[in-house]
Amino acid sequence: MIAEIGHFATLLALAFALMQGSLPIWGAYKGDTRLMESARAFAIGQFLFVSFAFACLVAVYVRSDFSVLNVWQNSHSAKPLIFKITGSWGNHEGSMLLWVVILAFFGALVALFGNNLPARLRANALGVQGWISIAFLFFILATSNPFARLSPVPFDGQDLNPILQDISLAIHPPLLYAGYVGFSMAFSFAIAALIEGKIDAAWARWVRPWTLIAWMFLTAGISMGSWWAYYELGWGGWWFWDPVENASFMPWLAGTALLHSALVMERRAALKVWTILLAILTFSLSLLGTFLVRSGVLTSVHAFAVDAERGVFILAIMAVFIGGALALFAWRAPLLRQGGLFAPVSREGALVLNNLFLATAAGTVLIGTLYPLVLEALTGEKISVGAPFFNKTFGPTMIPLLMLVPFGPMMAWKRGDLLGTSQRLMVVAALALVTAGAVYWSFNGGPVLAALGVGLAVWLIGGAIFEILWRVKFMRAPVAESWRRAGGLPRSSWGTMTAHAGIGVVLLGIVSATAWRTEVITTMNPGETLTVAGNDITFEGVSPRQGPNYSEDVGQFTVRRDGLVVARLEPAKRFYSVRRQPTTEAGIKSFIGGDLYVVLGDPTGDGSYVVRIYDNPLVTLIWIGTYIMVLGGAVSLSDRRFRIGVPRRRRVVANPAPAE
Amino acid sequence: MTLWIFLALMAAGAGAIVLYALRPGALTMPEGNADLMVYKDQLTALDNELESGRIEASEADSARIEISRRLLAAQSEADRNPLSRPKAKSSAARAVAIATAGMLFVLVAYIQNGNPDLPGVPFETRNTDNPGEETVPQLLARVESHLLDTPEDGRGWDLIAPIYMRMNRFADAAEAFANAARLLGPSGMRMAGYGEAVAGINAGVIVQEARDALVEAIELDPTLLRPRFLLTIALEQDGKLAEARDAWRGLLSENPEEGPWRDVLLGRIESLEARIGDDPRPSQAQVEAAQDMSPADRREMVETMVAQLAARLETDGDDLEGWLRLARSYAVLQQFDAARGAVEAARGLFSDDDRAMARLADVARTLGLEE
């Protein structure tokens, strides 16, 4: 019965979406305030019913009701409760429903808290949100209904793919979706502005926080996915340029660009048309990401053709939303008034440069991800575009961008002073170069690029901190004065500093884990000891263990440093009996200097085991850094006031800047 | 019935929300003044910043000039397009109509797609309709622990093997069937079960080990249908489509009574006919061999196959698909007279079958044999 209630609730949500997508926009066109206002209650109603439907889905999972097809396909009565719950979105149908839940949640937030939005803009934006909901709910009900039933009822389920039975992979999709869907707000506002043919001043005020929220979720989601790949796949790597990863990385790059251009728009009312286009493109890439991963295209182009109904549906949704939005943009964008002017060397100019590099990087990743798919679809030839392509194209795009990061926040709005900024940053540059030299020297002429990479990381972190020091006039004013100024700095400045420093921390982790990693693959007999990067690792033996829905062989390793036991690691090989699928559980110990990572391989037959041991120096900084970036976003978000970039005036006050 | 009460309550709640959404007197923010408000907010914020000393007086001045300029522009824009404050002209009847239409849509869609008569079956409540009887998991646990203590009890393995099979635990099932056969001697059922379990382990591919077991099962008990069914699927998996079709037909003629079996067999035969019927498709082995041939050899191989088909139809002409295939093959070989001959011969044989005549005409037209 719960499944049927869930099905009915999904249909009710679709009904609300249909009303939300039509009546308010019609009202905005006709000037009918009552219809315009109805958007808010519709959005809230849609959220109520779609989240109720999702609660029903979780309930049938928890009760292991195998009369529901989706539960039978993805669950098992012996599965631990937590994975029964997370399994409800660990599959195509459930995850699509979760997508709509998040979409409706954001829509409801606009409905509840959008009091200061112009009524027309709010009605149109919620209407566009309604269209997205309609497309997805219709897709779910027509081709991927999570409430489809089975009769006769099978005895037990087929269990969830074991590699998904993991807590961080359970959190990963909701975070990622919150990111993707958050960008839908920027998209809806962009389309609403295009429909009306004007951008209100309140537009930027709304779009930037939404973009920031989406960006934070997406950053955390990607980071979580990368961490999962690191400890679960057992290869010791943290990013593989896998198409699934790229699918989430492209919207992140575009979203980061949007974040910065929305900043210009909020503070200086410039770059309006570009920001609108970027909002459309970012959400388009989010749609692409969702569908690439969820349609099965990535595992094989042919999987797409097998389920033709879904494939065609997906293509149609993408064509309508991306094509329609771009067509609307081409038609209506010329109506939008251009905003504030600025000199090439200025804060705005630096942010434009940032956008150019990020857009190029996103384009590069897009080509590298889609080219093999297109080629396979057209010629049947299978090629793999892997790390070498991305290292050669993505890397060179990012390095100049990262070098420019510290300049941006130091520049004045409207008119910047490149020479002065460079002179101020000399201290940081010197610090970075000295660090690079010291690293090079201490590793006896270690890899030059790695030393320079560390230097770049120091440049980023130092540059971020220096910006704050400079703003509070540290050392140039009495301590009390600096303290007072620090208290008065807007939180968005602190957020910028934190996020930019976070990139430096990530870079430090990437460089050191790539350049100074140790990898040992060998066979070990029980009792044998091996020394890797200063750790004496003793293989104590292997013992079997029984889990709730798996059995495992656990290897016992004792790690000593100078005779003292510093860690006991238990890497394991698990076997999930229902799916007949093995998984690898790495044994990881994080020290301050880096991770010791042990993987138990196959027995060789004579009592010894294949063992892979990695020492990944500072690798944890990659994830710590991304969370510092997220923290920066949160700090910036807490600064709720609408700020204006104070323009630097020309010296000749008698000749003011041209009117806008 | 309880379900319908729930659904009715939900629909009523949803309808109430729609009526609320379209309620009269919903107030809205004055249109267009939003821009002015934003700029006024900015001016206030600027004053606060200046007061707390966060920006210099000169910077505040230039910012104020810029904001004021935008404020003036927005003000003159507002003056130029005086707000015709939009009026709410909705009526209660319209709201009720929209709510009714929405709920009707949901109801119709649900009746078409939902399964209101299927009850939910949570795992814990399984088998409670037969109190006193053990649930299957309880039974399974008891037999499993019994077999742990006395692994030489063949009857226990016999009992548990089909249960594993039903639960898709194929490796356990294979082990159980093998143990039962070892302890109690092989029987048709045990070997058939073992073969099927091995195929299950290999994701449905009937590997050699499974085939051997299935053949042995038929030898032990020729009345068993399931192993023959699986061996025929094995033929399909090998790409021996014609052989598989003939085997299905054999099974069908031996089991003339109505039943689910019959439909499955007919469906299989039909799909095979369709796959074979498209063209005289050579087997996988022949295709592989043909790749190494010279073009002349390849043509010769095709011609031999076509000649064989023609010879067969000469003796057994009651095969429309065969005739169509022959005509197509001749057309591919550019022997249009022969193709025309095949169509004519078939017309002679099927002259009283309208559908057959229509298909022949169709094929003749697509192959360009007639104007």
Side-chain angles (χ1 to χ4, degrees), chain A residues 4 31 268 488 642-643 649, chain B residues 42 49 54 62 66 86 110:
Chain A
E4 295 306 310
R268 298 277 305 140
F642 182 54
R643 299 202 170 271
R649 293 164 74 189
Chain B
Q42 281 185 347
E49 292 209 344
R54 274 172 242 162
S62 62
E66 195 161 310
Y110 179 73

Side-chain angles (χ1 to χ4, degrees), chain A residues 397-406 456 459-460 503 507:
Chain A
T397 321
M398 286 320 263
I399 289 168
L401 173 64
L402 295 180
M403 285 171 70
L404 289 173
V405 165
L456 184 56
W459 166 245
L460 280 164
I503 307 172
L507 184 67

